[in-house]
Amino acid sequence: MAGHFEATPGGGAAVALDEVEISILRSLAVQLLELIGPGDQPAEGEDPLAALFAEGPSKPPADPALARLFPDAYGGPEGVGGVTKPEGEQELRERSAEFRRFTEMDLRSGKRDDALAVVRTLDALSPAPDGGAVLTLTGDECLNWLRSLNDLRLTIGTRLEVSDEDQGEEGSLYRLPDTDPRKPMVMAYLWLGALQESLVETLMP
């Protein structure tokens, strides 16, 4: 499954997908939506503006995949990039909690919108006689897809406990035997990476 995006007029991109690829992409996007959750909707009689400004959670998600999608803003006492910070670990933890409280709901909403865009563009395809189709994306839809492909790879990579060493051509991901139960998910992970890279290269000036 090695579809390659090609640029289209107006800053968009197109790729030919077969029936299996369409099914896999849609299934993964739907699973991502289920993982992220439906979002908080205003209760009956609740002021929509009040719901809009409601605070989010202050603690990281318990699910490792969600924690990867919504990481702490401050990783630890060393701060971002390993640079030593004067603040202690407790203060960084408190700052991370406050940042999460006011940003995570918006981040979740954005990730839901991206995954929904993937599902909707796939559902709008007109299948060819062989069951495949050409997916044509606008510039905005390309950005939705880029972000959602990245979220899917982060989620699958977390589930597989993928490390940087695993991903090179000599890495363990490329040497799994067919009998390994992780093989189908690993193949999906590598394919999504190739699809993402192809879309990035297509959109580069």
Side-chain angles (χ1 to χ4, degrees):
M1 294 187 290
H4 294 282
F5 279 95
E6 295 183 2
T8 59
V15 63
L17 300 170
D18 64 33
E19 190 173 7
V20 173
E21 292 170 334
I22 294 169
S23 176
I24 291 173
L25 283 167
R26 192 185 189 286
S27 175
L28 290 174
V30 168
Q31 290 178 59
L32 180 61
L33 283 167
E34 292 172 350
L35 176 67
I36 295 171
D40 295 325
Q41 301 297 325
E44 185 175 352
E46 182 181 359
D47 181 358
L49 284 178
L52 180 64
F53 292 103
E55 295 182 2
S58 60
K59 295 182 180 180
D63 187 310
L66 280 175
R68 186 71 179 87
L69 291 176
F70 305 102
D72 273 338
Y74 306 94
E78 294 80 17
V80 178
V83 178
T84 302
K85 299 288 183 180
E87 300 88 352
E89 183 175 358
Q90 180 61 30
E91 184 173 347
L92 284 176
R93 189 178 295 118
E94 291 172 356
R95 289 170 61 187
S96 290
E98 180 144 351
F99 185 84
R100 181 181 297 279
R101 188 159 54 245
F102 292 107
T103 61
E104 184 169 313
M105 291 177 69
D106 282 344
L107 290 173
R108 283 181 181 257
S109 178
K111 291 182 184 298
R112 279 194 296 272
D113 289 345
D114 291 334
L116 278 171
V118 171
V119 173
R120 287 167 178 162
T121 51
L122 291 173
D123 286 348
L125 290 176
S126 299
D130 62 359
V134 175
L135 173 71
T136 302
L137 305 174
T138 65
D140 287 341
E141 289 169 345
C142 285
L143 297 179
N144 293 134
W145 269 74
L146 275 178
R147 291 189 293 260
S148 203
L149 286 171
N150 187 61
D151 288 342
L152 286 171
R153 293 191 74 244
L154 287 175
T155 300
I156 295 173
T158 302
R159 296 287 190 240
L160 293 171
E161 299 182 344
V162 172
S163 67
D164 291 341
E165 292 75 18
D166 295 327
Q167 300 186 60
E169 291 189 3
E170 300 301 323
S172 60
L173 290 183
Y174 289 87
R175 294 184 280 105
L176 282 179
D178 291 340
T179 54
D180 192 305
R182 297 172 296 167
K183 188 65 176 281
M185 194 58 71
V186 166
M187 294 301 294
Y189 176 80
L190 296 174
W191 174 54
L192 290 172
L195 204 60
Q196 182 183 21
E197 182 178 0
S198 170
L199 183 52
V200 168
E201 291 175 351
T202 299
L203 297 178
M204 289 178 64

